[in-house]
Amino acid sequence: MSARVEDAVKIYGIAATQVRALDHVSVEFPAGRFTAVMGPSGSGKSTLMHCAAGLDTLTAGSAWIGGRDLSTLNDRQLTLLRRASVGFVFQAFNLVPTLTVLENITLPLDLAGRGGREREADREWIDSLVDVVGLGDRLRHRPSELSGGQQQRVAVARALVARPEVVFADEPTGNLDSRSGAEVLGLLRTASQELGRSVVMVTHDPVAAGHADEVLFLADGRLVDTMSAPTAALVLERMKAFDRPPVGSAAR
Amino acid sequence: MRATLHLGLRGLRAHKRRLLGTFLAVVLGVSFLAGTMVLGDTLKSNFGTLFANAYAGTDAVVRGAGSIKADAGPAGVRAPITASLDQRVAVLPGVAAVAPSVSGAGQLVGADGKPIGGKGPPTTAGNWVTDPALNPYHLVQGRAPSAPGEAVINRGAARSGGLKVGDTTVLRAPDPVRVTIVGIAAFGSADGMGPSTFTGLTLADAQRYLLPRAGEVSTLLVKAAPGTSQEQLVRTIDTVLPAQDEAVTGAQAAQEDTTNVSSGFLSVFTTVLLVFAGIALLVATFTIHNTFAIVVAQRTRENALLRALGAARRQILGATLAEAVAVGLTASLAGLLGGIGVATGLKGLFSAIGMDLPTGGMVVTTSAVLVPVLVGTVVAIASALLPAIRAGRTAPVAAMRETAVEAVGGSRIRTVLGAVAGLAAAALTVLGATRGPSVALTAVGSVLALAAMIVLGPAAASLAVRVLGAPLPRLRGVSGALAARNAARNPRRTAATATALMVGVAVVSLFTVFGASIKQSLDDTVNRSFAGDLAISAPSFGAGGSGLSPRIAPAVAALPQVRNVVALGSGVAAVDGHAVKLDVTDPKALTGTVTLGATQGAVAGLGADGIAVSRAVADRYGWTVGQALPVAYADGSHQSLTLDAVYTDAGVVGDYLVTPQTWAPHRTQDSDTLVAVSLKQGVPLAAGRTAVEQAVAGFGGPTVQDRAQFATSAAAGIDMMLSVVYALLALAVLIALMGIANTLTLAMHERTRELGLLRGVGQTRAQLRSMVRWESVLVAVFGTVGGLGLGAFLGWALVRATDSTRTGSFALPVPQLVVVLAVGMLAGALAAVRPARRAARLEVLRAIAAP
């Protein structure tokens, strides 16, 4: 099991202003599976991802990555865990503007101090990653010289370079046109199917969710449904149900 | 107008933290300026009070009419007057009392055998005036001196020397006088006349030890009878005085003394401090300008939105300026308060190096309040002006753009302009240093060089950061690489940040190089011209000390180990209209122990009607050997002396040499400044030294030094001056470092999302702090290296330009400059502590989600 949360509860604020962002959620993100997390605004989908990735802490329950209970780790251990076992793709601002494309891709390895002989061992892997994302001719460029889609592809390569157990993607296609978005989603799919990673993607785009193996639906902090072998149409259909009152309250 | 002000003040509230650095820079600069002015005013007033008190009961002073004030002396030298004049004055109508007064230099030796004072304030001795109305001192313990060898000393001297009534000690007058302390005196309610010391003897003793001839006194103090004004009294007295004497009112005498101090010592003192306050403010200007430039750049979208909503350019400009005015004004007011603290601190600094200043309440004049506040506010406004204009020019469309648009690099025109200015500056400076030499040319070149450095900043910054940052990736891995890239990503900003430090460090290294070169010159001079084995001197500074006993030289000359002894005495005269210090010496003995370099004419053959001068002086006034020079003395007599010789090396002997025979008729208090000793062939140095030390021990314990020690001690004053300069420059460097810290904080704010990303993909807090720290170190090293280069170059140029005789030396004090570099690096790391800690504390999620 690559990543999971058990009986996860996350409460923001106190007393009257209290908001229950996660309400006893338990999910698993197994290796080799591409999971999409969907739900209306305020459903707790981002909170779920942040807590599962160790970027945020749970109020109750537990989050695990690769057999390690995140609540037992301090900031430094969490950082090292992120570096080694978790890959991130954010909606925007994924790349360090002062570093070249190649340097951005190898950043997690560099931060871990993996140079010299270890780097030689990584070389082939990095080359193959570069091939997969198809940016071999752009390695020396700066992020500002790339299109949005290219930037997100670099981000995916960066997320995979440390051979993490799980890759978390937060609206990775949110700022992209549909073609670039499809390329990025294709890469995430490759990551799960061919490289055997667990890929978790938060999205509100039914088309994006359609690329996943499984879709989880959250509403009001609760896991309300799952869908295997989704298609964009099916997902859209399911999502429309949330818009019908009285199910779900968009306020958070 | 209301909207503009409102916007400005809202901006201020919203960005309090960002403008903290600006605020502190103004506060520090203004504190220094206000502190200097307050200290100057306070000292002036303290001295004024001091002299007014000294003459409080004196309505008229009778004194020698002629006064000659050589550069070094604190007050003009006057000839003594005939003691019997008091009889003639006493019988005049309107005169209530007359007291003869003798005053001279006299340094007491404390209970521990060490001389008291001598590091600036005068060490005085005189007669104890028995009429309490005419004596500013009054006994607080014991009694007045009545027998030979009895003395009253002031309470301050008693305290610092550990002396009490009944003790016996030595007064260096400078001929040692054994005195028994019979009383302790106070000056009003104070321990003494400021930090100076006073020893009161009987009139007979004072005349005997402090004046060269019997039957003379320094002045007569006169008290008016009730109903007679000071002016009336003076007019009456004038009728009986011989031509060479004069009478002045007590008020005028006090005023003259005050003016002497304030136009001499005080004006130099405050000018020097003001120069350093100016440097601090200049550095502050760079820091403030940079902060405003960054804040405006960061606020581009906000300003663009305002423009899109219909704000006029003028309103945006006004809002930014309003912010500057508010910051400048509040910071200046805070700086004013700080100034009082700085004044106290400066006083402490000078007393820490032994240069005590008179005490008294703080005097805060209107100008000491208005000028610093005005300067601080104007500096803030002027620094913000360009950024404010830029803010006003913000295009409304910038509101729609993703990122702020800011020119980051130097334009080509700027680089070319800078290069041209730099070359011109170098040419002028070198020309001034080598041809001529011309200080003015070099000074213009120096200012131009500084300007060129500022213009070239961005171009230099991107190059320097690349070169200096090259080893970082290997040393510090990816954090090092990121640090180097960050320092290079906005060369204009890096340059502006580093320039402040560069100016500070340049001045530091300039003084370091200049000081080292002066020391080297002194050292070389001693080595070249001092052919003796031992030097006897009485180290002192300013108006302190009393010199060496004139009986030392004959005593040492009588030793069997000694081949030759020469004593240098001093006097003052007006030579061809120029008031100068004369060195009085036996020319034959002199040439046996001191080498004077290439000489025109023979110094050894100098006669009683002759004078020898240095090459520098002869060249300056166009004098040639054989020429007759008119010489006037303080006692009113004139003489024509023949210029017998011109010599090159003036380091040990000074610029004007006359024989004791020439000086004797005009001399005041006898004392020597230096006695140089050559030992006989075959006498070991240690043995000779022991013999000399024993021989001089009875003369108040002067210092006996070998050549190397003599050379070192000649340069000791330089080190003391340098340490004061460093302390004064510390403030400018501190402001520059705050500028670095401030720029970093602003940059961290700008890069919030990037920092979040780095933390997200696995950068530890320690790695992040290291990244920020190294960026700061890079900027600091760039500034330091630039400053070192500029300072060393200008130091060299100034040393050369001021050396008109080509006898000086240039020294590049590498160890000190390496220390400056190390301090710069360390300071850079220190400046990064707070920004790094704040950046590392960022929460990953919030940072990534930041707007």
Side-chain angles (χ1 to χ4, degrees):
Chain A
M1 191 56 59
S2 287
R4 65 191 158 94
V5 295
E6 264 176 28
D7 208 17
V9 175
K10 177 68 182 179
I11 298 171
Y12 290 109
I14 45 163
T17 60
Q18 214 173 57
V19 173
R20 202 168 270 256
L22 287 180
D23 194 1
H24 300 285
V25 175
S26 296
V27 286
E28 296 179 352
F29 304 113
R33 188 190 286 174
F34 183 2
T35 311
V37 181
M38 292 207 73
S41 293
S43 62
K45 57 185 191 299
S46 288
T47 305
L48 174 65
M49 190 193 95
H50 292 152
C51 291
L55 289 174
D56 204 349
T57 52
L58 288 168
T59 310
S62 57
W64 302 72
I65 288 177
R68 297 179 77 182
D69 183 350
L70 301 186
S71 65
T72 63
L73 304 180
N74 64 23
D75 179 78
R76 186 178 159 73
Q77 290 166 324
L78 273 175
T79 303
L80 297 183
L81 176 90
R82 280 203 300 275
R83 191 192 276 170
S85 310
V86 182
F88 281 106
V89 181
F90 300 106
Q91 178 173 1
F93 209 86
N94 260 304
L95 306 179
V96 179
T98 49
L99 298 180
T100 64
V101 166
L102 181 62
E103 286 166 335
N104 263 294
I105 293 175
T106 60
L107 185 59
L109 301 180
D110 293 334
L111 284 169
R114 286 177 62 137
R117 194 173 309 158
E118 287 163 318
R119 175 54 52 84
E120 282 311 309
D122 289 330
R123 177 86 54 207
E124 214 171 306
W125 162 238
I126 294 169
D127 287 345
S128 67
L129 260 184
V130 168
D131 273 351
V132 170
V133 297
L135 286 165
D137 56 338
R138 293 295 178 95
L139 292 180
R140 306 232 160 266
H141 288 227
R142 289 287 160 94
S144 58
E145 297 165 315
L146 302 184
S147 71
Q150 289 170 326
Q151 288 187 19
Q152 286 305 73
R153 271 147 61 196
V154 176
V156 174
R158 201 260 327 280
L160 292 170
V161 75
R163 300 185 176 89
E165 310 238 358
V166 51
V167 172
F168 290 100
D170 189 359
E171 305 272 12
T173 59
N175 284 4
L176 302 181
D177 60 57
S178 58
R179 205 181 121 205
S180 303
E183 280 173 4
V184 170
L185 290 165
L187 284 177
L188 290 175
R189 192 165 181 80
T190 310
S192 65
Q193 285 191 337
E194 288 173 28
L195 305 175
R197 307 285 168 236
S198 171
V199 176
V200 182
M201 171 177 71
V202 166
T203 185
H204 64 263
D205 176 11
V207 178
H211 285 74
D213 296 322
E214 183 174 36
V215 182
L216 308 181
F217 294 94
L218 263 69
D220 288 338
R222 275 188 291 265
L223 184 62
V224 292
D225 201 357
T226 61
M227 180 189 289
S228 291
T231 65
L234 285 173
V235 173
L236 187 62
E237 192 70 17
R238 182 65 189 83
M239 286 297 285
K240 276 181 183 157
F242 290 114
D243 295 336
R244 258 176 254 136
V247 183
S249 78
R252 198 186 94 179
Chain B
M1 188 60 206
R2 281 249 305 278
T4 304
L5 203 62
H6 182 67
L7 273 175
L9 296 184
R10 278 298 290 272
L12 195 62
R13 262 201 293 279
H15 305 289
K16 270 195 297 265
R17 285 199 93 105
R18 294 193 212 175
L19 291 174
L20 186 69
T22 307
F23 183 80
L24 286 177
V26 177
V27 168
L28 286 182
V30 169
S31 293
F32 200 165
L33 182 62
T36 302
M37 294 184 71
V38 166
L39 184 60
D41 290 338
T42 301
L43 288 181
K44 206 170 188 174
S45 142
N46 290 352
F47 276 115
T49 314
L50 217 53
F51 292 119
N53 287 341
Y55 291 101
T58 305
D59 292 309
V61 177
V62 178
R63 62 188 190 188
S67 160
I68 293 181
K69 186 175 183 305
D71 304 342
V77 172
R78 287 177 192 279
I81 59 175
T82 312
S84 58
L85 264 180
D86 66 340
Q87 316 278 335
R88 267 197 266 167
V89 173
V91 299
L92 290 170
V95 172
V98 180
S101 167
V102 174
S103 61
Q107 193 173 19
L108 279 165
V109 175
D112 56 358
K114 295 205 180 85
I116 302 169
K119 288 178 177 167
T123 50
T124 59
N127 62 318
W128 180 259
V129 175
T130 44
D131 185 341
L134 293 168
N135 190 344
Y137 290 93
H138 63 95
L139 286 166
V140 289
Q141 208 187 331
R143 56 174 178 83
S146 56
E150 290 184 341
V152 168
I153 64 172
N154 72 306
R155 194 160 55 194
R159 220 167 257 167
S160 52
L163 296 170
K164 54 188 192 303
V165 171
D167 284 354
T168 303
T169 187
V170 169
L171 175 71
R172 295 172 167 186
D175 206 28
V177 181
R178 281 215 79 75
V179 291
T180 304
I181 295 158
V182 296
I184 307 286
F187 184 86
S189 60
D191 284 350
M193 192 170 162
S196 67
T197 66
F198 173 73
T199 308
L201 309 167
T202 62
L203 179 59
D205 269 2
Q207 284 175 304
R208 183 174 156 206
Y209 298 119
L210 303 175
L211 293 173
R213 285 167 295 271
E216 291 187 334
V217 293
S218 305
T219 55
L220 291 179
L221 305 176
V222 187
K223 185 162 178 52
T228 308
S229 74
Q230 293 197 346
E231 288 73 18
Q232 283 171 332
L233 184 63
V234 164
R235 273 196 299 275
T236 318
I237 297 171
D238 260 335
T239 57
V240 298
L241 292 182
Q244 74 270 23
D245 296 340
E246 66 176 10
V248 294
T249 63
Q252 190 188 337
Q255 185 55 47
E256 281 178 15
D257 281 358
T258 309
T259 312
N260 256 332
V261 168
S262 30
S263 69
F265 160 75
L266 264 190
S267 88
V268 172
F269 182 80
T270 41
T271 307
V272 167
L273 286 182
L274 282 176
V275 165
F276 286 102
I279 293 172
L281 279 167
L282 179 68
V283 170
T285 307
F286 287 113
T287 302
I288 300 165
H289 170 78
N290 203 28
T291 305
F292 270 102
I294 296 172
V295 168
V296 163
Q298 291 183 348
R299 225 184 284 159
T300 303
R301 290 185 71 180
E302 196 180 315
N303 285 334
L305 185 65
L306 288 172
R307 293 273 284 125
L309 296 178
R313 278 186 180 194
R314 211 161 27 80
Q315 283 171 310
I316 303 284
L317 185 144
T320 309
L321 279 186
E323 235 172 288
V325 172
V327 170
L329 205 60
T330 48
S332 298
L333 289 173
L336 213 53
L337 291 181
I340 311 282
V342 169
T344 317
L346 281 174
K347 235 171 149 172
L349 171 68
F350 285 99
S351 89
I353 60 162
M355 204 176 125
D356 285 312
L357 299 166
T359 48
M362 281 285 171
V363 176
V364 183
T365 58
T366 320
S367 66
V369 172
L370 289 183
V371 172
V373 170
L374 204 67
V375 167
T377 311
V378 167
V379 159
I381 295 172
S383 310
L385 196 58
L386 273 179
I389 291 173
R390 216 173 297 147
R393 285 207 195 121
T394 309
V397 71
M400 309 346 166
R401 289 203 196 111
E402 178 61 24
T403 47
V405 192
E406 184 191 1
V408 297
S411 65
R412 181 171 303 219
I413 295 174
R414 186 171 172 168
T415 310
V416 171
L417 262 177
V420 170
L423 286 175
L428 274 180
T429 313
V430 171
L431 209 65
T434 51
R435 303 283 165 80
S438 155
V439 180
L441 213 57
T442 298
V444 171
S446 303
V447 172
L448 194 60
L450 187 65
M453 282 300 250
I454 294 166
V455 177
L456 273 180
S462 58
L463 185 72
V465 166
R466 237 177 294 151
V467 173
L468 294 171
L472 269 188
R474 226 168 316 126
L475 288 174
R476 281 286 171 274
V478 72
S479 298
L482 282 166
R485 304 273 173 88
N486 284 337
R489 71 202 278 177
N490 191 333
R492 189 178 275 205
R493 203 185 277 181
T494 299
T497 310
T499 304
L501 186 60
M502 197 180 292
V503 171
V505 171
V507 180
V508 167
S509 9
L510 187 129
F511 275 100
T512 306
V513 168
F514 206 73
S517 297
I518 293 178
K519 276 169 78 173
Q520 185 66 45
S521 296
L522 285 173
D523 206 50
D524 289 352
T525 305
V526 169
N527 279 332
R528 202 167 49 219
S529 45
F530 187 77
D533 298 299
L534 295 168
I536 307 166
S537 61
S540 67
F541 185 73
S546 55
L548 293 169
S549 164
R551 289 194 290 136
I552 287 179
V556 173
L559 290 173
Q561 294 90 340
V562 169
R563 178 175 62 79
N564 187 44
V565 171
V566 61
L568 285 170
S570 66
V572 292
V575 178
D576 202 11
H578 311 284
V580 298
K581 177 178 161 291
L582 303 172
D583 279 84
V584 183
T585 190
D586 173 4
K588 281 184 200 67
L590 178 73
T591 43
T593 301
V594 176
T595 318
L596 294 170
T599 307
Q600 201 184 350
V603 174
L606 193 63
D609 53 359
I611 184 169
V613 304
S614 70
R615 169 60 56 202
V617 164
D619 285 353
R620 192 186 312 151
Y621 299 126
W623 295 337
T624 51
V625 172
Q627 181 176 352
L629 294 172
V631 176
Y633 300 97
D635 56 12
S637 58
H638 296 267
Q639 192 179 7
S640 177
L641 296 180
T642 311
L643 181 53
D644 281 340
V646 172
Y647 51 88
T648 316
D649 277 348
V652 173
V653 297
D655 289 319
Y656 298 83
L657 282 178
V658 294
T659 63
Q661 291 78 12
T662 314
W663 176 243
H666 318 286
R667 67 199 219 274
T668 48
Q669 188 177 5
D670 281 324
S671 81
D672 286 337
T673 50
L674 174 72
V675 173
V677 182
S678 297
L679 298 174
K680 277 194 181 127
Q681 201 79 36
V683 175
L685 184 65
R689 182 175 185 153
T690 311
V692 170
E693 273 170 351
Q694 278 165 1
V696 303
F699 296 100
T703 317
V704 178
Q705 295 167 314
D706 60 28
R707 281 173 53 143
Q709 289 169 328
F710 177 53
T712 313
S713 73
I718 310 284
D719 280 335
M720 198 188 73
M721 300 272 278
L722 275 183
S723 50
V724 172
V725 166
Y726 290 153
L728 295 177
L729 284 174
L731 193 65
V733 172
L734 182 68
I735 293 177
L737 291 176
M738 283 190 344
I740 295 185
N742 202 38
T743 309
L744 273 180
T745 304
L746 293 170
M748 290 311 126
H749 175 81
E750 232 170 37
R751 297 180 204 151
T752 303
R753 285 203 293 178
E754 188 180 324
L755 295 173
L757 172 68
L758 283 166
R759 293 274 292 125
V761 301
Q763 187 176 44
T764 60
R765 290 202 159 122
Q767 283 177 318
L768 190 150
R769 279 196 298 267
S770 159
M771 178 180 85
V772 179
R773 189 161 53 238
W774 281 99
E775 178 180 354
S776 175
V777 169
L778 262 184
V779 174
V781 168
F782 167 55
T784 309
V785 169
L788 276 176
L790 188 66
F793 171 64
L794 296 184
W796 167 83
L798 271 180
V799 166
R800 284 285 169 248
T802 50
D803 179 21
S804 56
T805 51
R806 298 281 162 221
T807 50
S809 317
F810 170 73
L812 198 65
V814 176
Q816 280 95 316
L817 295 181
V818 169
V819 168
V820 172
L821 182 62
V823 169
M825 273 181 80
L826 203 70
L830 220 60
V833 167
R834 231 176 68 89
R837 198 183 306 151
R838 282 188 58 196
R841 252 196 318 228
L842 280 175
E843 280 177 52
V844 180
L845 269 182
R846 205 164 297 172
I848 291 176

